[in-house]
Amino acid sequence: MNESKKRRIGSMLMVGVLLMSAVLSGCSSNGGHKPADSNTTRAKLEIKNGKYDPPVTITYLRPWGPDVKFKPGEDQDSNVHTKWAKEKLGIELKNQWVSPSTNNAFETKLRLSLASNADMPDIISYRGEFNLVRELIESGKFVEAGELFDQYAGETWKKAINEDPSVWYPYMQDGKRIGIPILDYAYNGDPVMWIREDWMKKFSLKAPKTLDDLETIMEAFANRDPDGNGKKDTYGLTIGFKNWLNTWMSDAGWVFGAYGTMPNQWNLTKDGKLEYGSVTPEAKQALGRIRDWMSKGYLPEEAGVYDETKAAEEFTAGKAGIVVGPHWMPSWPLEDVKKNNPEAEYKAYPIPAGPDGKAGRHGTSNANGVILINKDMKNPEAFFMYQNYLFDHYANPETNGEFEYGFAEGYDWVMVDGKPTADAGLAGGYAPEKYTLTFDGARIPSLNMAALTSRKEPTTPFEKKSGQAYRSLCLKQPKLL
């Protein structure tokens, strides 16, 4: 499968949503409409010295993942980020309630709130189950955020979102932009194959170029005691079926890509038509291959009930030798591989090809979530002030600026021998950007890939941090910024 075909497969879900949106919206136009919050009673806010005085409170909901860690004495409502927001912007951030993202706990609680017609917070930030996003949009509890975005978003944020305007499509209804997409770095979720390199060396195995090659590796990992404990307690590959087959981590979509399709999305056929990838003859072949692997003991028996994080734990715990997921997995959760076994090694490999030489993976959007704004929020401009600041100052930090080395000293960076370093082991491994309303602070899609592929000496704080972060994974050296 050539590269352009891969990209088409990865984007067909977006195309399908675009087509449906176009049918629903017809020739409607937002021109001349008043802002969506025009019928809401507005409280007058005063800005003094660049912040709200008195402070304004934003209530919100967002799932809290297992990768979010707090210092002793800090939590979701009181931490270095919430203190920064109040001191810098005069904005108090308050969770309406707190729920973890694992085992669909957040989704279950939010659905119960919707079913009971409970009050919604000012902001809901979510990335996860698409059906839940549609339920929230169709509830009628949220404003047409696109109009607010046009009115209040800063130029840096607008320019970033305009790099790919299709990021709006999944969050539209009747031609209106109900949700604001949370931007991610381009290609940030595209999967690669991570394999235990020490197990490969133990059995003198070669890089897998095909699914047949991969089966040879999985057979060794499942049946030849790669961890040397004398027990048959390891697996070749770990994947999680609970949510999706082609998902953001512990992915199985590449098996379908090897047969020329991709499940859970609309794909473009050779004759230019759209077909749903879960019901094609090729999908049946891929499912048969996975079933065969399961019967041979290459996969964990619990794969059907594992979510993305739980499945990855089989790899980090040393029970599975292969996991497929994004390039950033060494930062989390693969950091636990070394914690559990200091002698362990792992390495990234390309996705293997299928019987006809095809290799395919799901593509990823420039967005990884959505912001929904309550129609009863009295001052939505406060959220835009918050997010504009992060886009203007954090997304691409200035030299000598407040975010030059990271979000906060002693959390994601620290001084060592008079030099700043973002080495997690030295700085404590905390990531305040993960405390933000949009999970990662603010991201400009094209910025990361440009920094990684540039042949020039890095000069900006972002270029230095991005490039050295990857070099440190290879060289195991502190990231000196």
Side-chain angles (χ1 to χ4, degrees), residues 134-145:
R134 298 311 307 177
E135 290 171 34
L136 291 167
I137 289 175
E138 292 166 6
S139 72
K141 293 179 179 293
F142 303 95
V143 299
E144 183 181 354

Side-chain angles (χ1 to χ4, degrees), residues 84 389-390 393-395 397-398 400-408 461:
W84 169 85
Y389 192 94
L390 290 174
H393 300 282
Y394 181 76
E398 297 177 348
N400 299 322
E402 64 178 302
F403 299 121
E404 179 177 12
Y405 305 124
F407 198 97

Side-chain angles (χ1 to χ4, degrees), residues 161-478:
I161 214 165
N162 283 334
E163 289 186 2
D164 180 9
S166 70
V167 293
W168 288 102
Y169 298 157
Y171 313 119
M172 295 176 68
Q173 186 174 45
D174 298 329
K176 298 179 180 179
R177 297 164 293 166
I178 307 300
I180 301 174
I182 298 174
L183 296 179
D184 197 1
Y185 296 131
Y187 308 105
N188 202 44
D190 288 29
V192 297
M193 179 170 284
W194 299 97
I195 303 181
R196 279 288 297 268
E197 187 66 8
D198 51 332
W199 292 8
M200 293 282 283
K201 292 176 180 177
K202 182 175 182 177
F203 302 119
S204 301
L205 297 168
K206 297 180 179 180
K209 295 182 178 180
T210 66
L211 293 185
D212 289 342
D213 295 339
L214 189 67
E215 284 197 10
T216 299
I217 295 172
M218 290 194 292
E219 193 282 329
F221 288 178
N223 298 314
R224 297 173 61 185
D225 193 22
D227 59 358
N229 67 354
K231 301 178 182 179
K232 191 179 183 302
D233 59 354
T234 55
Y235 302 96
L237 168 71
T238 181
I239 49 182
F241 298 148
K242 182 177 182 180
N243 295 323
W244 296 88
L245 286 166
N246 57 323
T247 188
W248 60 276
M249 188 169 70
S250 310
D251 172 51
W254 52 276
V255 184
F256 294 79
Y259 290 92
T261 190
M262 193 60 59
N264 307 317
Q265 67 179 43
W266 293 91
N267 302 313
L268 190 64
T269 64
K270 293 181 179 178
D271 56 2
K273 297 180 180 180
L274 291 175
E275 65 178 7
Y276 196 61
S278 298
V279 294
T280 63
E282 294 82 5
K284 185 175 181 180
Q285 289 179 289
L287 286 171
R289 193 83 179 230
I290 294 174
R291 181 183 61 187
D292 184 52
W293 292 349
M294 180 72 76
S295 69
K296 293 177 178 178
Y298 296 165
L299 310 180
E301 295 178 357
E302 299 83 0
V305 296
Y306 280 172
D307 63 12
E308 295 84 352
T309 303
K310 185 63 179 178
E313 289 177 1
E314 294 281 358
F315 188 87
T316 60
K319 294 301 180 182
I322 306 167
V323 66
V324 176
H327 67 89
W328 45 256
M329 284 183 70
S331 296
W332 178 86
L334 299 191
E335 59 182 346
D336 288 341
V337 173
K338 283 284 189 180
K339 293 178 181 178
N340 293 325
N341 180 1
E343 303 301 318
E345 300 176 18
Y346 59 86
K347 181 179 175 181
Y349 286 88
I351 298 299
D356 297 329
K358 299 174 182 177
R361 48 170 173 71
H362 67 80
T364 48
S365 168
N366 282 2
N368 64 10
V370 63
I371 290 286
L372 297 169
I373 300 176
N374 194 323
K375 66 181 182 181
D376 296 324
M377 185 178 184
K378 294 181 179 179
N379 295 101
E381 66 269 26
F383 165 71
F384 287 91
M385 179 181 181
Y386 164 90
Q387 197 63 24
N388 283 337
Y389 192 94
L390 290 174
F391 267 100
D392 289 341
H393 300 282
Y394 181 76
N396 191 10
E398 297 177 348
T399 301
N400 299 322
E402 64 178 302
F403 299 121
E404 179 177 12
Y405 305 124
F407 198 97
E409 185 176 5
Y411 288 81
D412 54 350
W413 70 277
V414 68
M415 297 297 291
V416 176
D417 297 328
K419 294 183 179 180
T421 175
D423 181 80
L426 299 174
Y430 302 100
E433 68 175 30
K434 295 180 182 293
Y435 309 163
T436 61
L437 291 183
T438 50
F439 306 104
D440 301 297
R443 290 183 169 180
I444 298 171
S446 61
L447 203 60
N448 194 49
M449 192 57 63
L452 293 176
T453 58
S454 176
R455 295 181 179 274
K456 298 179 181 179
E457 186 70 19
T459 57
T460 70
F462 184 92
E463 290 170 348
K464 293 176 182 178
K465 184 177 181 180
S466 180
Q468 292 185 11
Y470 280 84
R471 284 194 292 273
S472 71
L473 292 175
C474 299
L475 302 175
K476 299 179 176 61
Q477 294 177 347

Side-chain angles (χ1 to χ4, degrees), residues 94-111:
K94 180 65 177 177
N95 286 271
Q96 184 159 305
W97 41 260
V98 174
S99 177
S101 64
T102 52
N103 298 316
N104 297 110
F106 178 85
E107 287 81 359
T108 299
K109 190 167 184 177
L110 185 52
R111 279 196 169 97

